[in-house]
Amino acid sequence: MRGSDIFKQAKVDPKNRVEMLEERLSKSKEDLRGLACHEWLSANVTPAGRVKLLNALRRQKANKSPTSQKYGVIRVAISEREALTKLSSKTGIPLGLLLKTMTFAVDTDPELRGKIVRLAVAINL
């Protein structure tokens, strides 16, 4: 009786796997390199690892693009969100553009900045 160990492949060091890929890519023709890389990925990377790798490469490519916008999240209380939404609907300006414009105006005009600070203090009292 043989054990199931005979069906297991010998473990290969990750460095050796990468060297195998580099060797295979150097030997293959220019137009077949994508196929060789695909075969190597199928043989040496699990499906979950492949998805992670492709997502990381996709994200890297998107971040390099000069046209890609970077997005962030600003947390706003629900009551403040409602007030901003009302102001946005009254003015007809989308909420993101409204916030951007208000921030730019307050940042560039020191007199307006002082008035806004006094108004904010008065509202919070």
Side-chain angles (χ1 to χ4, degrees):
M1 296 287 294
R2 295 182 183 172
S4 62
D5 294 341
I6 63 166
F7 297 107
K8 292 184 179 176
Q9 291 181 343
K11 291 187 177 180
V12 180
D13 186 34
K15 287 182 183 178
N16 293 342
R17 289 184 183 190
V18 173
E19 288 172 2
M20 287 170 33
L21 174 64
E22 289 172 349
E23 181 182 334
R24 188 179 290 178
L25 288 177
S26 66
K27 289 180 181 178
S28 64
K29 293 181 181 177
E30 183 96 18
D31 53 343
L32 297 177
R33 285 186 180 161
L35 183 61
C37 190
H38 176 72
E39 288 174 357
W40 183 86
L41 281 171
S42 299
N44 294 295
V45 179
T46 65
R50 183 184 176 103
V51 169
K52 273 181 142 179
L53 172 72
L54 293 176
N55 285 339
L57 291 174
R58 221 176 274 122
R59 177 82 338 238
Q60 217 175 32
K61 185 178 178 183
N63 287 342
K64 285 182 182 177
S65 172
T67 60
S68 70
Q69 291 185 345
K70 308 296 186 250
Y71 292 96
V73 176
I74 299 174
R75 295 184 184 266
V76 177
I78 292 173
S79 60
E80 294 163 1
R81 168 80 180 190
E82 290 170 357
L84 287 169
T85 307
K86 276 184 190 177
L87 181 61
S88 174
S89 64
K90 282 181 185 178
T91 58
I93 302 173
L95 186 58
L97 183 59
L98 178 71
L99 288 172
K100 181 180 173 183
T101 307
M102 288 172 48
T103 304
F104 181 73
V106 171
D107 191 37
T108 56
D109 188 0
E111 187 179 328
L112 181 61
R113 189 179 317 129
K115 288 180 183 179
I116 297 259
V117 170
R118 286 195 299 275
L119 182 61
V121 170
I123 289 174
N124 287 322
L125 287 179

